[in-house]
Amino acid sequence: MSHTWDPDRYLAYADERGRPFVDLLARVPAERPRVVVDLGCGPGNLTSLLAERWRGAQVTGIDSSPEMIATAREIEGIAWEVGDLRDWAAPDPLALRAPADVLVSNATLQWVPEHLDLLPGLLDRVAPGGWLAFQVPGNFDEPSHTARTDLAAQEPYAAHVRDARVPVSHDPATYARVLLDLGCEVDAWETTYLHVLTGEDPVFEWVSGTGARPTLQALPDDLRPLFEDEFKALLREAYPADAAGRVVLPFRRIFVVARKPHGVLVP
């Protein structure tokens, strides 16, 4: 089931969502890459950090959401494309794409259920000696996700959302093993961030812009407000505000930085 993204809603927590990207980028020691690609670039605010770090590189941001790319195109000096990550990872027998010296994907692969199988293809798009770096959420067993899953399984909602996309990821060791078997040097780790949120139903505001969005969009207009009210109540119970109105949201992230061997082609 298709859904659309809202750049403004996504950017409501731009600083918090951007920190994992910065931490990922800090572990990529590429010095003078010529081609840098951001798969799943979203509204482009983080892709601009790639252009700032590697000023001589050709930087391209790719996202499957026309709405996100429309916002990204307000940023100059970067090539923006609407495209599906799975197509980009497919074989390129005519070598139409220049291999990337740095290929980054931030909080995107979790939306592709079979993304573990895409890693060889993505690595094939990286130049020998180049870098594949990605980050995915690892918090899908937390109430911010399980509350939505449990509620969506109930009627009258279940019939409408059973085909809605839900994110999924693996632990760091799983990603590391796949890339090690492909001959890469691998740095994989996890970090749990503690985001301090404020405002009315801040956890709902967070998840409604990302993980819960496909579910919410799949609901008919007459059911969505009821679902949102029940979902907000569950989140308030799971993440109570303190006396100052602050909510602490733990958020686990999975990071992988892999360097492709020199002169070795991935089969």
Side-chain angles (χ1 to χ4, degrees), residues 233-257:
L234 292 171
L235 293 175
R236 285 195 296 268
E237 181 179 0
Y239 303 98
D242 64 14
R246 298 168 301 203
V247 174
V248 176
L249 175 67
F251 202 122
R252 176 174 174 252
R253 300 273 185 173
I254 308 299
F255 299 83
V256 179
V257 175

Side-chain angles (χ1 to χ4, degrees), residues 8 78-79 101 130 241:
D8 292 333
I78 297 172
D101 299 297

